[in-house]
Amino acid sequence: MDSIASTSKPITSTPESSFDISGGCRAFIEPDGVEELLKPLIEAGSTSICFSNCSFGLEAAVIAAPILLSISEQLTEVDLSDFMARRPETEALEVITIFSEALQESDLRYLNISNNALGEKGVRAFGQLLRSQCNLEELYLMNDGISEQAAKAVCDLIPSTKKLKVLHFHNDMTGDEGAISIARLVIKSPVLEDFRCSSTRVGPQGGFVLSEALGNSTNLKKLDLRDNMFGVIAGIALSESLLVFSNLTEVYLSYLSLEDEGTIAIVNALKNSASALEVLEMAGNDITSEAAPALAACLTAKNATLTKLVLSENELKDIGAIVIANALFKDEFGKLTEVDLSTNEIRTAGARVLSQAVVGKPWFKLLNINGNYISDEGVDNLKEIFRKFPNVLGPLDDNDPEGEEYDDDTEDELESKLKDFQIK
């Protein structure tokens, strides 16, 4: 059995007001050690508790409950993520209910109940705690088995999200119907700044409804919808919402099946928005060179603020890479640190101009063009370009120098694009 000790690592509170037992190896809390373990909670007047990585059994929970109840009114931050590991479902639900009842008098700003495989039963076991929260600013429900029914339960139980700034779902089983319930939460969260709904099995229907709902979140700063199945139509709907985000700095839209049409709509919206974009990730969306001019125009519009660009696992090929390189070359991009166009069927010509576009930029740290079709001679050429900056060129261990050939028409178009690129 693992031993644990209380620490003072804060969530967002000051160290003096935090009680955190999450450090070290996973611990199974035994009844005979609960009172001693939680004694500092009362002595320190803690406003923040973190029990993550500590698994409470039923007997331990019964002993912990009155201690939590005695301080519940002073608490503003509670982290109960991953606190039910390896417990049978019946016991886990009872423990959740005990903790929920003990903490229902709290007025929380931060609540994290991630990594508990809750499902609908678990969400409803947290019902008393969730029903009592009217001032939440941060809510995390990641890796919780949030199905359609569980998402609906979350939406039904929380009385108010008017102050909610952070809402995170990830690695859940939400699906389209669940996304519609989450969309209801989003609509009722007018000051939302950070929204994540990634790897949640949301398809075109749910993606469309969720994208429309996001149009109400005009304060949004960070948006993460990665690894869903939105498709083109939901992507276009999302583009219409993106236009209203004047504070948006980070956009994560990888693996959404956006294709060229959805991608063009989104980057045009970002280009025309007032946002000071810093991070743009759109990997794995079947993007071809057809979308490259729109992407380049967006990059040019955001050149003063952009720090990171990820377009890996697409089909931009040399032509698309050169169009993007031209944009990166012509403008200052004074804050740019990373560009990732790995696995894009790029050959030597495209790799060379991308390298020339970024080499020597003041803050630049990494060009990732691994997994492409660069010849052995081309690899040597790239290493020469980065001779003074050897750590800036990423590894090329997955490069395939025997990659696909282009036909004559493509080669002619490639030569035309290369004429527009000015060698440094």
Side-chain angles (χ1 to χ4, degrees):
M1 185 180 304
D2 300 315
S3 62
I4 61 173
S6 61
T7 66
S8 296
K9 184 174 67 176
I11 302 173
T12 55
S13 298
T14 61
E16 293 77 15
S17 63
S18 267
F19 177 80
D20 188 340
I21 56 174
S22 66
C25 300
R26 181 181 304 286
F28 290 85
I29 308 301
E30 296 297 325
D32 56 5
V34 172
E35 290 185 353
E36 186 64 26
L37 176 68
L38 300 185
K39 187 178 179 181
L41 268 176
I42 299 173
E43 294 177 345
S46 300
T47 61
S48 167
I49 60 172
C50 178
F51 290 173
S52 182
N53 204 37
C54 300
S55 184
F56 280 79
L58 184 56
E59 291 182 62
V62 169
I63 297 171
I67 299 173
L68 293 175
L69 179 62
S70 70
I71 64 160
S72 62
E73 292 186 6
Q74 71 194 38
L75 291 175
T76 60
E77 301 178 358
V78 169
D79 186 342
L80 297 178
S81 61
D82 193 20
F83 88 124
M84 293 310 317
R86 302 179 191 174
R87 301 290 182 182
E89 180 184 281
T90 301
E91 181 182 15
L93 292 174
E94 286 188 67
V95 171
I96 290 172
T97 301
I98 289 169
F99 272 70
S100 179
E101 290 175 351
L103 294 169
Q104 65 180 312
E105 298 300 322
S106 60
D107 184 15
L108 301 180
R109 304 296 180 268
Y110 172 107
L111 177 61
N112 189 346
I113 52 176
S114 301
N115 301 313
N116 285 310
L118 296 174
E120 182 187 8
K121 291 180 182 178
V123 170
R124 294 199 179 279
F126 268 117
Q128 287 181 268
L129 175 59
L130 292 173
R131 283 193 199 95
S132 65
Q133 302 308 310
C134 294
N135 294 305
L136 275 177
E137 295 178 6
E138 300 183 43
L139 176 61
Y140 300 86
L141 290 146
M142 299 182 288
N143 196 29
D144 269 337
I146 301 296
S147 61
E148 169 192 339
Q149 294 80 11
K152 185 178 184 301
V154 172
C155 190
D156 291 343
L157 288 168
I158 298 178
S160 175
T161 55
K162 289 183 178 179
K163 296 183 179 181
L164 197 65
K165 295 179 180 179
V166 181
L167 177 61
H168 281 200
F169 295 89
H170 171 68
N171 195 29
D172 289 314
M173 303 178 293
T174 309
D176 282 344
E177 293 301 320
I180 292 171
S181 291
I182 292 174
R184 289 167 53 203
L185 272 181
V186 170
I187 289 172
K188 295 187 291 184
S189 307
V191 298
L192 196 63
E193 296 179 357
D194 181 349
F195 178 66
R196 181 179 187 182
C197 191
S198 55
S199 301
T200 49
R201 306 185 188 182
V202 177
Q205 181 187 8
F208 182 86
V209 174
L210 194 55
S211 295
E212 285 198 324
L214 283 166
N216 293 277
S217 304
T218 55
N219 293 312
L220 207 64
K221 296 178 180 178
K222 182 177 179 180
L223 176 63
D224 186 349
L225 300 172
R226 284 175 285 191
D227 191 23
N228 285 298
M229 299 166 284
F230 276 37
V232 173
I233 294 175
I236 293 172
L238 179 60
S239 72
E240 295 174 2
S241 292
L242 289 172
L243 281 168
V244 305
F245 301 150
S246 58
N247 299 316
L248 194 64
T249 59
E250 299 180 39
V251 181
Y252 302 91
L253 303 177
S254 297
Y255 310 106
L256 290 177
S257 302
L258 296 173
E259 302 179 16
D260 284 335
E261 187 177 356
T263 298
I264 291 170
I266 284 171
V267 296
N268 281 342
L270 289 171
K271 177 190 70 175
N272 294 322
S273 73
S275 61
L277 191 65
E278 296 175 6
V279 178
L280 176 60
E281 291 196 11
M282 299 187 76
N285 276 302
D286 299 318
I287 303 171
T288 73
S289 59
E290 183 179 336
L295 277 162
C298 176
L299 301 179
T300 299
K302 305 301 178 183
N303 72 84
T305 56
L306 192 70
T307 63
K308 182 177 180 181
L309 172 67
V310 178
L311 296 171
S312 55
E313 296 186 54
N314 284 302
E315 301 167 22
L316 287 164
K317 298 187 177 181
D318 285 61
I319 294 169
I322 291 168
V323 171
I324 290 169
N326 237 350
L328 298 177
F329 178 82
K330 290 177 180 177
D331 294 283
E332 281 300 316
F333 290 91
K335 296 183 179 180
L336 190 65
T337 62
E338 182 177 344
V339 171
D340 186 345
L341 269 77
S342 58
T343 317
N344 262 284
E345 303 177 33
I346 297 170
R347 294 177 63 84
T348 299
R352 185 173 66 249
V353 294
L354 277 169
S355 299
Q356 292 165 340
V358 299
V359 69
K361 288 189 180 296
W363 304 106
F364 199 78
K365 295 180 180 178
L366 178 64
L367 173 65
N368 185 359
I369 46 176
N370 205 359
N372 285 303
Y373 304 147
I374 308 166
S375 69
D376 291 335
E377 182 181 354
V379 170
D380 291 339
N381 186 220
L382 299 183
K383 290 179 179 178
E384 177 59 27
I385 291 172
F386 286 98
R387 180 172 52 85
K388 295 181 180 180
F389 311 94
N391 296 324
V392 171
L393 179 63
L396 295 169
D397 50 328
D398 288 331
N399 177 59
D400 179 10
E402 305 299 326
E404 297 178 358
E405 296 290 340
Y406 294 148
D407 59 31
D408 291 340
D409 290 340
T410 304
E411 291 291 352
D412 291 342
E413 188 176 357
L414 180 58
E415 288 300 321
S416 174
K417 295 295 182 185
L418 280 169
K419 289 178 182 178
D420 296 331
F421 188 79
Q422 301 175 7
I423 304 298
K424 286 188 178 181

